[in-house]
Amino acid sequence: MILFGYIKGMPYERATESFDDYKQLRNDLPKEKVIAHMESLEQWLTSLPSKDIFTGEKLHAGQCHDGEFRFPLEFLHYYKNYDIGIPYEYESYLKTILT
């Protein structure tokens, strides 16, 4: 299992990653295609309270599973609304199933 997107400020014990690190990632896949795929995944929701770490907007907490990859549902919110990328390992995996 490969975890990513657990950014500091999220309500998870493993949320230790830096948002700034995700701002440095530049991907080849079109963002719209990645978002459409991520939105198609089954969402495993939790009752943890969660909010946008910048605006305070209330978010749904949970996790998405995609093959070996796991990421918090909130990561999709940040990916859609902020200029960040996805890890290169996840992008490589997506290239094998989206192209």
Side-chain angles (χ1 to χ4, degrees):
M1 177 172 29
I2 302 168
L3 302 173
F4 73 88
Y6 287 89
I7 298 168
K8 292 176 191 169
M10 290 181 176
Y12 307 103
E13 195 173 292
R14 65 179 69 103
T16 59
E17 296 178 275
S18 167
F19 186 84
D20 288 339
D21 289 345
Y22 283 95
K23 288 171 48 178
Q24 304 304 314
L25 298 173
R26 297 291 173 234
N27 305 113
D28 296 327
L29 285 174
K31 197 167 191 171
E32 305 80 33
K33 197 171 188 177
V34 174
I35 290 170
H37 173 74
M38 293 172 93
E39 288 178 333
S40 75
L41 300 172
E42 182 178 358
Q43 299 176 356
W44 298 24
L45 301 176
T46 178
S47 61
L48 288 173
S50 188
K51 61 184 178 181
D52 184 299
I53 58 176
F54 302 108
T55 67
E57 173 188 354
K58 185 177 178 181
L59 302 175
H60 289 285
Q63 188 177 74
C64 291
H65 297 204
D66 192 3
E68 292 183 51
F69 295 90
R70 307 289 185 267
F71 58 90
L73 185 55
E74 297 95 325
F75 180 79
L76 179 54
H77 164 81
Y78 293 108
Y79 185 64
K80 287 166 65 173
N81 294 289
Y82 297 93
D83 187 21
I84 63 171
I86 56 173
Y88 298 125
E89 298 84 5
Y90 186 57
E91 181 181 37
S92 293
Y93 162 75
L94 291 179
K95 285 178 179 179
T96 68
I97 63 171
L98 296 179
T99 54

XYZ file of all heavy atoms in Angstrom:
834
model
N 0.847 -1.172 0.000
C 0.000 0.000 0.000
C 0.899 1.244 0.000
O 1.835 1.345 0.767
C -0.899 -0.028 1.237
C -1.754 1.174 1.378
S -3.002 1.119 2.691
C -2.349 0.060 3.928
N 0.578 2.172 -0.886
C 1.347 3.409 -1.009
C 0.423 4.572 -0.650
O -0.569 4.816 -1.331
C 1.901 3.580 -2.429
C 2.785 2.382 -2.798
C 2.667 4.894 -2.542
C 3.148 2.304 -4.261
N 0.745 5.262 0.429
C -0.056 6.393 0.894
C 0.516 7.697 0.373
O 1.731 7.860 0.304
C -0.070 6.433 2.425
C -0.586 5.195 3.148
C -0.368 5.341 4.648
C -2.046 4.960 2.837
N -0.369 8.625 0.024
C 0.082 9.974 -0.322
C -1.043 10.956 -0.027
O -2.195 10.575 0.171
C 0.533 10.068 -1.787
C -0.581 10.032 -2.805
C -1.222 11.204 -3.200
C -0.974 8.837 -3.374
C -2.242 11.170 -4.145
C -1.989 8.803 -4.322
C -2.625 9.973 -4.701
N -0.681 12.229 0.037
C -1.683 13.288 0.203
C -2.100 13.567 1.624
O -3.047 14.321 1.847
N -1.422 12.999 2.585
C -1.750 13.242 3.997
C -0.975 14.479 4.456
O 0.115 14.391 5.005
C -1.424 12.009 4.842
C -2.423 10.905 4.601
C -2.233 9.963 3.594
C -3.582 10.843 5.351
C -3.163 8.971 3.360
C -4.521 9.850 5.113
C -4.305 8.919 4.124
O -5.249 7.941 3.893
N -1.576 15.626 4.202
C -0.933 16.920 4.412
C -1.134 17.410 5.842
O -2.220 17.247 6.418
C -1.502 17.937 3.402
C -1.182 17.456 1.968
C -0.962 19.338 3.643
C -1.929 18.199 0.886
N -0.092 18.013 6.388
C -0.159 18.577 7.737
C -1.392 19.462 7.866
O -1.677 20.274 6.996
C 1.075 19.420 8.037
C 2.344 18.634 8.152
C 3.535 19.559 8.346
C 4.822 18.786 8.194
N 5.988 19.659 8.121
N -2.135 19.261 8.953
C -3.359 20.018 9.194
C -4.611 19.194 8.963
O -5.692 19.566 9.405
N -4.463 18.061 8.261
C -5.603 17.160 8.078
C -5.805 16.370 9.374
O -4.874 16.231 10.163
C -5.355 16.201 6.911
C -5.380 16.838 5.563
S -5.090 15.560 4.302
C -5.272 16.509 2.819
N -7.016 15.835 9.589
C -7.310 15.181 10.862
C -6.822 13.735 10.970
O -7.482 12.900 11.565
C -8.843 15.228 10.903
C -9.242 15.095 9.482
C -8.193 15.887 8.722
N -5.675 13.448 10.391
C -5.156 12.089 10.410
C -3.807 12.051 11.108
O -2.982 12.938 10.924
C -4.994 11.548 8.980
C -6.244 11.670 8.150
C -6.365 12.672 7.190
C -7.308 10.808 8.344
C -7.514 12.801 6.437
C -8.470 10.924 7.588
C -8.566 11.926 6.639
O -9.700 12.052 5.894
N -3.594 10.988 11.843
C -2.336 10.816 12.565
C -1.146 10.823 11.608
O -0.093 11.345 11.916
C -2.386 9.488 13.328
C -1.329 9.335 14.381
C -1.569 8.076 15.195
O -2.563 8.034 15.933
O -0.741 7.151 15.065
N -1.330 10.267 10.434
C -0.232 10.182 9.456
C -0.090 11.441 8.605
O 0.688 11.455 7.656
C -0.401 8.953 8.582
C -1.639 8.990 7.713
C -1.784 7.774 6.828
N -2.085 6.569 7.529
C -3.272 5.998 7.596
N -4.293 6.527 6.980
N -3.453 4.885 8.252
N -0.840 12.484 8.894
C -0.797 13.726 8.099
C 0.459 14.523 8.444
O 0.442 15.435 9.261
C -2.057 14.553 8.326
N 1.545 14.180 7.784
C 2.840 14.804 8.075
C 3.490 15.416 6.842
O 4.573 15.976 6.932
C 3.805 13.771 8.685
O 3.964 12.691 7.761
C 3.278 13.232 10.018
N 2.834 15.307 5.687
C 3.436 15.808 4.450
C 3.250 17.318 4.332
O 2.301 17.890 4.853
C 2.825 15.117 3.244
C 3.109 13.631 3.209
C 2.454 12.978 2.023
O 1.272 12.626 2.116
O 3.148 12.847 0.995
N 4.152 17.945 3.620
C 4.127 19.388 3.419
C 3.321 19.747 2.169
O 3.556 19.191 1.096
C 5.552 19.918 3.272
O 5.539 21.237 2.800
N 2.392 20.679 2.304
C 1.635 21.177 1.155
C 2.594 21.750 0.111
O 2.396 21.558 -1.089
C 0.631 22.241 1.609
C -0.279 22.703 0.516
C -1.426 21.997 0.203
C 0.008 23.848 -0.206
C -2.269 22.409 -0.820
C -0.831 24.268 -1.234
C -1.969 23.547 -1.537
N 3.626 22.440 0.561
C 4.591 23.049 -0.361
C 5.283 22.012 -1.245
O 5.612 22.307 -2.391
C 5.627 23.867 0.406
C 5.047 25.149 0.963
O 4.004 25.623 0.453
O 5.619 25.684 1.934
N 5.486 20.802 -0.727
C 6.094 19.753 -1.548
C 5.188 19.403 -2.735
O 5.672 19.147 -3.835
C 6.382 18.501 -0.725
C 7.531 18.703 0.258
O 8.292 19.696 0.117
O 7.662 17.870 1.178
N 3.880 19.407 -2.515
C 2.944 19.110 -3.598
C 2.885 20.247 -4.614
O 2.585 20.014 -5.783
C 1.553 18.789 -3.046
C 1.497 17.393 -2.487
C 1.701 17.139 -1.134
C 1.275 16.297 -3.312
C 1.677 15.859 -0.620
C 1.250 15.005 -2.825
C 1.453 14.794 -1.477
O 1.436 13.508 -0.996
N 3.191 21.457 -4.194
C 3.226 22.590 -5.119
C 4.384 22.469 -6.106
O 4.349 23.058 -7.183
C 3.333 23.910 -4.345
C 2.051 24.286 -3.629
C 2.167 25.460 -2.694
C 2.841 26.671 -3.221
N 2.874 27.793 -2.282
N 5.402 21.719 -5.755
C 6.580 21.555 -6.610
C 6.376 20.495 -7.692
O 7.138 20.443 -8.658
C 7.797 21.184 -5.768
C 8.116 22.162 -4.655
C 8.310 23.580 -5.149
O 8.997 23.815 -6.137
N 7.677 24.534 -4.484
N 5.375 19.639 -7.544
C 5.158 18.546 -8.492
C 4.514 19.060 -9.775
O 3.516 19.774 -9.734
C 4.266 17.465 -7.865
C 4.822 16.778 -6.614
C 3.771 15.871 -6.004
C 6.089 16.010 -6.946
N 5.100 18.698 -10.906
C 4.579 19.073 -12.222
C 4.348 17.788 -13.007
O 5.282 17.021 -13.237
C 5.557 19.985 -12.973
C 5.775 21.298 -12.271
C 4.512 22.158 -12.318
N 4.666 23.349 -11.514
C 3.826 23.711 -10.565
N 2.788 22.986 -10.276
N 4.025 24.818 -9.895
N 3.114 17.560 -13.383
C 2.739 16.309 -14.030
C 2.464 16.490 -15.518
O 2.152 17.589 -15.969
C 1.494 15.725 -13.352
C 1.691 15.551 -11.858
O 1.053 16.232 -11.062
N 2.571 14.658 -11.462
N 2.576 15.379 -16.254
C 2.308 15.368 -17.691
C 0.842 15.106 -18.012
O 0.333 15.588 -19.015
C 3.161 14.294 -18.387
C 4.641 14.578 -18.290
O 5.033 15.761 -18.280
O 5.415 13.609 -18.225
N 0.180 14.301 -17.199
C -1.221 13.989 -17.459
C -2.088 15.230 -17.269
O -1.862 16.012 -16.344
C -1.717 12.899 -16.508
C -1.270 11.470 -16.776
C -1.718 10.548 -15.659
C -1.824 10.985 -18.109
N -3.092 15.407 -18.119
C -4.002 16.546 -17.944
C -4.736 16.448 -16.597
O -5.253 15.392 -16.245
C -4.988 16.406 -19.104
C -4.312 15.530 -20.099
C -3.407 14.632 -19.314
N -4.756 17.543 -15.890
C -5.362 17.570 -14.559
C -6.833 17.149 -14.612
O -7.300 16.431 -13.723
C -5.213 18.971 -13.958
C -5.427 19.019 -12.464
C -4.951 20.344 -11.891
C -4.923 20.255 -10.377
N -4.290 21.403 -9.756
N -7.562 17.560 -15.648
C -8.976 17.221 -15.763
C -9.182 15.709 -15.848
O -10.132 15.167 -15.290
C -9.598 17.877 -17.005
C -9.424 19.378 -17.088
C -8.042 19.799 -17.608
O -7.433 19.098 -18.443
O -7.544 20.837 -17.136
N -8.269 15.037 -16.544
C -8.353 13.579 -16.689
C -8.086 12.885 -15.356
O -8.770 11.922 -14.999
C -7.337 13.130 -17.750
C -7.568 11.764 -18.292
C -6.649 11.515 -19.480
C -6.996 10.226 -20.163
N -6.181 9.974 -21.347
N -7.114 13.392 -14.620
C -6.789 12.821 -13.310
C -7.958 13.043 -12.353
O -8.366 12.124 -11.633
C -5.485 13.429 -12.746
C -5.221 12.941 -11.326
C -4.304 13.111 -13.653
N -8.516 14.241 -12.345
C -9.646 14.546 -11.466
C -10.830 13.636 -11.781
O -11.446 13.072 -10.864
C -10.042 16.036 -11.571
C -8.964 16.909 -10.926
C -11.405 16.293 -10.927
C -9.126 18.404 -11.185
N -11.154 13.476 -13.059
C -12.272 12.612 -13.442
C -12.053 11.192 -12.929
O -12.980 10.559 -12.413
C -12.457 12.621 -14.955
N -10.830 10.698 -13.048
C -10.533 9.357 -12.549
C -10.669 9.295 -11.025
O -11.312 8.388 -10.500
C -9.126 8.915 -12.967
C -8.729 7.627 -12.348
N -9.241 6.418 -12.763
C -7.905 7.349 -11.304
C -8.747 5.450 -12.006
N -7.923 5.990 -11.126
N -10.074 10.251 -10.336
C -10.119 10.248 -8.867
C -11.562 10.353 -8.369
O -11.923 9.715 -7.382
C -9.252 11.375 -8.303
C -7.763 11.171 -8.554
S -6.778 12.603 -8.093
C -6.340 12.154 -6.418
N -12.384 11.128 -9.058
C -13.791 11.265 -8.661
C -14.587 9.981 -8.898
O -15.608 9.765 -8.255
C -14.450 12.418 -9.414
C -13.988 13.772 -8.952
C -14.614 14.926 -9.727
O -14.995 14.749 -10.898
O -14.699 16.020 -9.126
N -14.100 9.122 -9.794
C -14.804 7.879 -10.092
C -14.541 6.775 -9.064
O -15.227 5.759 -9.058
C -14.412 7.366 -11.483
O -13.112 6.787 -11.467
N -13.556 6.979 -8.212
C -13.183 5.962 -7.228
C -14.197 5.896 -6.089
O -14.826 6.894 -5.741
C -11.799 6.270 -6.647
C -10.647 6.310 -7.649
C -9.385 6.829 -6.969
C -10.411 4.931 -8.254
N -14.311 4.726 -5.512
C -15.170 4.562 -4.336
C -14.575 5.355 -3.174
O -13.362 5.325 -2.940
C -15.263 3.089 -3.953
C -16.179 2.837 -2.781
C -16.302 1.369 -2.433
O -15.710 0.510 -3.125
O -16.997 1.077 -1.452
N -15.432 6.070 -2.474
C -14.985 6.876 -1.336
C -15.345 6.174 -0.034
O -16.487 5.780 0.149
C -15.644 8.252 -1.374
C -15.302 9.037 -2.608
C -16.037 10.363 -2.691
O -16.867 10.685 -1.857
N -15.738 11.125 -3.717
N -14.376 6.022 0.822
C -14.582 5.426 2.136
C -14.624 6.578 3.122
O -13.583 7.119 3.503
C -13.453 4.462 2.456
C -13.348 3.311 1.506
C -13.785 3.259 0.206
C -12.783 2.048 1.774
N -13.512 2.051 -0.345
C -12.896 1.276 0.595
C -12.187 1.485 2.893
C -12.442 -0.033 0.517
C -11.725 0.179 2.794
C -11.855 -0.559 1.629
N -15.825 6.975 3.511
C -16.008 8.146 4.360
C -15.801 7.813 5.829
O -15.995 6.683 6.261
C -17.398 8.743 4.148
C -17.710 9.194 2.727
C -19.159 9.674 2.634
C -16.762 10.283 2.268
N -15.432 8.833 6.586
C -15.279 8.708 8.028
C -16.015 9.876 8.671
O -16.341 10.860 8.015
C -13.793 8.709 8.446
O -13.709 8.636 9.865
C -13.069 9.942 7.984
N -16.269 9.771 9.948
C -16.975 10.850 10.652
C -16.025 11.885 11.245
O -16.459 12.794 11.944
C -17.857 10.258 11.760
O -17.049 9.567 12.696
N -14.743 11.764 10.959
C -13.794 12.760 11.462
C -14.156 14.145 10.947
O -14.485 14.298 9.768
C -12.377 12.439 10.996
C -11.662 11.259 11.615
C -10.340 11.007 10.894
C -11.414 11.494 13.083
N -14.101 15.153 11.783
C -14.318 16.513 11.269
C -13.088 16.946 10.478
O -11.957 16.665 10.867
C -14.477 17.347 12.540
C -13.764 16.573 13.602
C -13.865 15.123 13.221
N -13.322 17.582 9.355
C -12.207 18.026 8.527
C -12.557 19.363 7.894
O -13.724 19.665 7.664
C -11.903 16.994 7.435
O -10.711 17.321 6.755
N -11.515 20.141 7.625
C -11.719 21.447 6.996
C -10.517 21.793 6.144
O -9.418 21.263 6.339
C -11.963 22.521 8.047
C -10.813 22.707 9.006
C -11.126 23.707 10.082
C -9.940 23.787 11.035
N -10.127 24.696 12.107
N -10.737 22.684 5.184
C -9.662 23.183 4.336
C -8.652 23.894 5.245
O -9.035 24.754 6.049
C -10.232 24.149 3.291
C -9.201 24.650 2.316
O -8.232 25.311 2.761
O -9.368 24.415 1.110
N -7.380 23.542 5.131
C -6.367 24.106 6.035
C -6.106 25.582 5.786
O -5.473 26.239 6.606
C -5.047 23.303 5.986
C -4.477 23.256 4.567
C -5.252 21.906 6.526
C -3.120 22.565 4.439
N -6.608 26.127 4.664
C -6.405 27.540 4.355
C -7.654 28.388 4.585
O -7.567 29.489 5.103
C -5.917 27.714 2.908
C -4.642 26.979 2.630
C -4.639 25.845 1.839
C -3.442 27.400 3.178
C -3.474 25.146 1.591
C -2.269 26.721 2.946
C -2.275 25.595 2.147
N -8.814 27.864 4.181
C -10.045 28.665 4.239
C -10.960 28.298 5.397
O -11.857 29.060 5.732
C -10.859 28.505 2.944
O -11.352 27.149 2.862
C -10.029 28.849 1.727
N -10.774 27.109 5.965
C -11.656 26.638 7.026
C -12.932 26.007 6.502
O -13.770 25.552 7.288
N -13.091 25.933 5.168
C -14.275 25.312 4.573
C -14.403 23.868 5.057
O -13.429 23.118 5.090
C -14.137 25.339 3.049
C -15.211 24.580 2.307
C -14.927 24.475 0.816
O -13.956 25.084 0.315
O -15.683 23.756 0.143
N -15.612 23.470 5.435
C -15.866 22.119 5.913
C -15.707 21.135 4.759
O -16.210 21.364 3.658
C -17.274 22.020 6.497
C -17.578 20.696 7.127
C -18.961 20.687 7.747
C -19.241 19.319 8.336
N -20.566 19.256 8.926
N -14.979 20.049 5.007
C -14.730 19.012 4.009
C -15.170 17.657 4.540
O -15.234 17.452 5.752
C -13.230 18.947 3.665
C -12.574 20.212 3.130
C -11.080 19.996 2.958
C -13.218 20.648 1.824
N -15.429 16.734 3.623
C -15.702 15.353 4.013
C -14.370 14.643 4.204
O -13.489 14.732 3.352
C -16.497 14.618 2.941
C -17.901 15.085 2.830
N -18.872 14.758 3.745
C -18.501 15.871 1.920
C -20.006 15.322 3.396
N -19.811 16.012 2.283
N -14.231 13.953 5.308
C -13.025 13.173 5.561
C -13.243 11.758 5.057
O -14.368 11.254 5.044
C -12.710 13.165 7.056
N -12.190 11.130 4.644
C -12.278 9.756 4.171
C -11.042 9.371 3.404
O -10.025 10.060 3.452
N -11.155 8.269 2.682
C -10.012 7.755 1.944
C -10.489 7.168 0.622
O -11.596 6.650 0.524
C -9.297 6.676 2.754
C -7.992 6.221 2.154
C -7.290 5.199 3.024
O -7.715 4.049 3.078
N -6.227 5.620 3.691
N -9.643 7.267 -0.392
C -9.877 6.641 -1.683
C -8.795 5.595 -1.910
O -7.643 5.801 -1.549
C -9.838 7.669 -2.803
S -11.224 8.812 -2.799
N -9.195 4.479 -2.517
C -8.269 3.396 -2.839
C -8.199 3.286 -4.350
O -9.229 3.232 -5.019
C -8.771 2.074 -2.268
C -8.850 2.074 -0.781
N -8.793 0.912 -0.051
C -8.976 3.059 0.120
C -8.892 1.208 1.246
N -9.006 2.495 1.357
N -6.991 3.224 -4.867
C -6.775 3.085 -6.300
C -5.591 2.159 -6.508
O -4.433 2.580 -6.412
C -6.515 4.461 -6.930
C -6.572 4.428 -8.440
O -6.868 3.362 -9.008
O -6.317 5.475 -9.063
N -5.878 0.899 -6.756
C -4.802 -0.082 -6.862
C -4.044 -0.135 -5.549
O -4.635 -0.303 -4.492
N -2.741 0.039 -5.619
C -1.904 0.041 -4.414
C -1.923 1.384 -3.687
O -1.374 1.502 -2.597
C -0.454 -0.281 -4.777
C -0.222 -1.690 -5.255
C 1.257 -1.926 -5.516
O 2.073 -1.635 -4.623
O 1.574 -2.389 -6.631
N -2.499 2.392 -4.286
C -2.435 3.750 -3.754
C -3.640 4.075 -2.877
O -4.765 3.679 -3.181
C -2.327 4.766 -4.893
C -1.052 4.635 -5.669
C -0.978 3.795 -6.769
C 0.082 5.333 -5.286
C 0.202 3.652 -7.479
C 1.268 5.207 -5.980
C 1.329 4.361 -7.089
N -3.376 4.828 -1.808
C -4.408 5.314 -0.896
C -4.142 6.789 -0.642
O -3.009 7.197 -0.396
C -4.372 4.583 0.450
C -4.410 3.073 0.391
C -5.768 2.546 -0.024
N -5.833 1.105 0.027
C -5.588 0.291 -0.991
N -5.208 0.790 -2.143
N -5.695 -1.006 -0.884
N -5.213 7.591 -0.703
C -5.072 9.012 -0.407
C -6.341 9.506 0.276
O -7.422 8.945 0.086
C -4.773 9.815 -1.679
C -5.803 9.696 -2.762
C -6.872 10.582 -2.829
C -5.708 8.705 -3.724
C -7.823 10.477 -3.825
C -6.645 8.593 -4.738
C -7.707 9.482 -4.783
N -6.217 10.536 1.104
C -7.397 11.050 1.789
C -8.320 11.766 0.803
O -7.862 12.398 -0.156
C -6.834 12.014 2.832
C -5.514 12.426 2.291
C -5.003 11.266 1.486
N -9.588 11.658 1.051
C -10.580 12.307 0.198
C -10.322 13.804 0.089
O -10.505 14.401 -0.974
C -11.974 12.044 0.773
C -13.158 12.538 -0.020
C -13.141 12.011 -1.437
C -14.440 12.132 0.680
N -9.849 14.409 1.146
C -9.562 15.838 1.125
C -8.488 16.199 0.104
O -8.472 17.312 -0.421
C -9.102 16.332 2.508
C -10.143 16.189 3.592
C -9.982 14.901 4.385
O -9.589 13.864 3.806
O -10.251 14.925 5.588
N -7.577 15.261 -0.203
C -6.536 15.551 -1.185
C -7.151 15.935 -2.526
O -6.666 16.844 -3.205
C -5.577 14.371 -1.364
C -4.501 14.659 -2.373
C -3.402 15.428 -2.029
C -4.606 14.201 -3.684
C -2.417 15.733 -2.963
C -3.627 14.502 -4.628
C -2.534 15.267 -4.258
N -8.235 15.278 -2.903
C -8.901 15.615 -4.159
C -9.389 17.064 -4.133
O -9.267 17.776 -5.128
C -10.066 14.658 -4.411
C -10.874 14.893 -5.685
C -9.995 14.915 -6.924
C -11.960 13.832 -5.810
N -9.884 17.526 -2.999
C -10.296 18.928 -2.857
C -9.116 19.865 -3.139
O -9.241 20.818 -3.900
C -10.847 19.180 -1.453
C -10.932 20.623 -1.085
N -11.964 21.442 -1.487
C -10.091 21.408 -0.354
C -11.766 22.668 -1.027
N -10.635 22.668 -0.341
N -7.979 19.582 -2.532
C -6.801 20.440 -2.731
C -6.302 20.357 -4.178
O -5.929 21.367 -4.770
C -5.681 20.063 -1.759
C -6.040 20.375 -0.334
C -6.327 19.354 0.569
C -6.125 21.683 0.121
C -6.673 19.639 1.878
C -6.476 21.977 1.421
C -6.750 20.949 2.296
O -7.098 21.233 3.584
N -6.310 19.168 -4.747
C -5.846 18.988 -6.122
C -6.731 19.766 -7.094
O -6.243 20.368 -8.047
C -5.823 17.491 -6.462
C -5.240 17.181 -7.808
C -3.908 17.454 -8.093
C -6.021 16.607 -8.805
C -3.370 17.172 -9.342
C -5.489 16.315 -10.052
C -4.164 16.596 -10.312
O -3.636 16.309 -11.540
N -8.031 19.772 -6.844
C -8.968 20.486 -7.720
C -8.884 21.999 -7.547
O -9.077 22.741 -8.507
C -10.406 20.041 -7.415
C -10.727 18.655 -7.900
C -11.997 18.100 -7.323
C -13.239 18.825 -7.727
N -14.466 18.130 -7.253
N -8.595 22.470 -6.354
C -8.715 23.892 -6.047
C -7.409 24.652 -5.880
O -7.437 25.879 -5.762
C -9.559 24.064 -4.777
C -10.982 23.630 -5.004
O -11.734 24.298 -5.705
N -11.360 22.488 -4.447
N -6.304 23.955 -5.856
C -5.008 24.599 -5.660
C -4.026 24.102 -6.719
O -4.223 23.049 -7.327
C -4.468 24.322 -4.254
C -5.337 24.896 -3.155
C -6.329 24.123 -2.554
C -5.171 26.208 -2.731
C -7.134 24.650 -1.544
C -5.971 26.748 -1.730
C -6.948 25.963 -1.138
O -7.742 26.501 -0.156
N -2.971 24.843 -6.930
C -1.965 24.495 -7.931
C -0.959 23.512 -7.338
O 0.158 23.889 -6.971
C -1.261 25.771 -8.430
C -0.324 25.488 -9.588
O -0.490 24.450 -10.260
O 0.587 26.308 -9.817
N -1.397 22.267 -7.235
C -0.520 21.204 -6.741
C -0.554 20.052 -7.732
O -1.429 19.974 -8.590
C -0.917 20.699 -5.328
C -2.305 20.064 -5.333
C -0.831 21.838 -4.315
C -2.665 19.354 -4.042
N 0.416 19.149 -7.588
C 0.479 17.974 -8.441
C 0.262 16.705 -7.644
O 0.082 16.736 -6.427
N 0.284 15.606 -8.362
C 0.199 14.288 -7.740
C 1.596 13.676 -7.740
O 2.433 14.024 -8.576
C -0.796 13.369 -8.476
C -0.431 13.234 -9.958
C -2.226 13.873 -8.292
C -1.255 12.222 -10.742
N 1.871 12.753 -6.817
C 3.188 12.111 -6.802
C 3.479 11.427 -8.140
O 2.582 10.880 -8.791
C 3.078 11.089 -5.672
C 1.997 11.626 -4.790
C 1.025 12.285 -5.720
N 4.725 11.447 -8.543
C 5.115 10.880 -9.824
C 4.832 9.380 -9.910
O 4.500 8.869 -10.981
C 6.587 11.184 -10.114
C 6.852 12.673 -10.226
C 7.824 13.286 -9.444
C 6.110 13.470 -11.096
C 8.053 14.651 -9.533
C 6.323 14.833 -11.198
C 7.299 15.427 -10.404
O 7.516 16.784 -10.490
N 4.926 8.666 -8.789
C 4.632 7.231 -8.795
C 3.148 6.993 -9.120
O 2.811 6.068 -9.862
C 4.959 6.597 -7.436
C 6.414 6.677 -7.032
C 6.782 8.012 -6.369
O 5.892 8.860 -6.138
O 7.973 8.210 -6.085
N 2.285 7.845 -8.576
C 0.852 7.717 -8.858
C 0.581 8.095 -10.312
O -0.205 7.433 -11.004
C 0.045 8.584 -7.888
C -1.451 8.406 -8.010
C -2.039 7.150 -7.870
C -2.279 9.498 -8.254
C -3.412 6.980 -7.971
C -3.659 9.338 -8.359
C -4.217 8.080 -8.217
O -5.589 7.915 -8.321
N 1.242 9.126 -10.795
C 1.073 9.519 -12.188
C 1.497 8.377 -13.119
O 0.806 8.087 -14.111
C 1.882 10.777 -12.502
C 1.713 11.235 -13.939
C 2.518 12.461 -14.288
O 3.664 12.606 -13.788
O 2.002 13.274 -15.066
N 2.598 7.713 -12.822
C 3.051 6.606 -13.645
C 2.012 5.498 -13.676
O 1.728 4.909 -14.739
C 4.384 6.046 -13.121
O 5.405 6.984 -13.283
N 1.442 5.197 -12.526
C 0.375 4.185 -12.445
C -0.819 4.619 -13.296
O -1.362 3.829 -14.068
C -0.025 3.999 -10.974
C -1.372 3.342 -10.786
C -1.540 1.968 -11.009
C -2.480 4.078 -10.384
C -2.779 1.375 -10.834
C -3.715 3.496 -10.204
C -3.857 2.145 -10.434
O -5.081 1.537 -10.257
N -1.237 5.872 -13.176
C -2.394 6.363 -13.938
C -2.135 6.282 -15.441
O -3.060 5.979 -16.217
C -2.750 7.792 -13.527
C -3.319 7.962 -12.132
C -3.603 9.435 -11.857
C -4.572 7.124 -11.937
N -0.909 6.522 -15.859
C -0.583 6.435 -17.290
C -0.836 5.025 -17.833
O -1.172 4.866 -19.012
C 0.863 6.855 -17.537
C 1.078 8.347 -17.443
C 2.541 8.704 -17.649
C 2.748 10.213 -17.588
N 4.174 10.584 -17.754
N -0.697 4.021 -16.999
C -0.923 2.646 -17.450
C -2.398 2.298 -17.556
O -2.764 1.375 -18.275
C -0.236 1.604 -16.526
O -0.886 1.601 -15.251
C 1.248 1.896 -16.366
N -3.256 3.029 -16.843
C -4.678 2.675 -16.873
C -5.540 3.717 -17.592
O -6.685 3.424 -17.953
C -5.242 2.432 -15.456
C -5.181 3.693 -14.597
C -4.529 1.276 -14.778
C -5.924 3.585 -13.270
N -5.017 4.924 -17.818
C -5.812 5.961 -18.450
C -5.487 6.182 -19.915
O -6.199 6.896 -20.604
C -5.635 7.303 -17.704
C -6.121 7.353 -16.270
C -5.864 8.740 -15.670
C -7.605 7.013 -16.185
N -4.399 5.620 -20.400
C -4.021 5.881 -21.800
C -4.343 4.721 -22.696
O -4.759 3.700 -22.321
C -2.522 6.215 -21.897
O -1.764 5.180 -21.295
C -2.219 7.544 -21.271
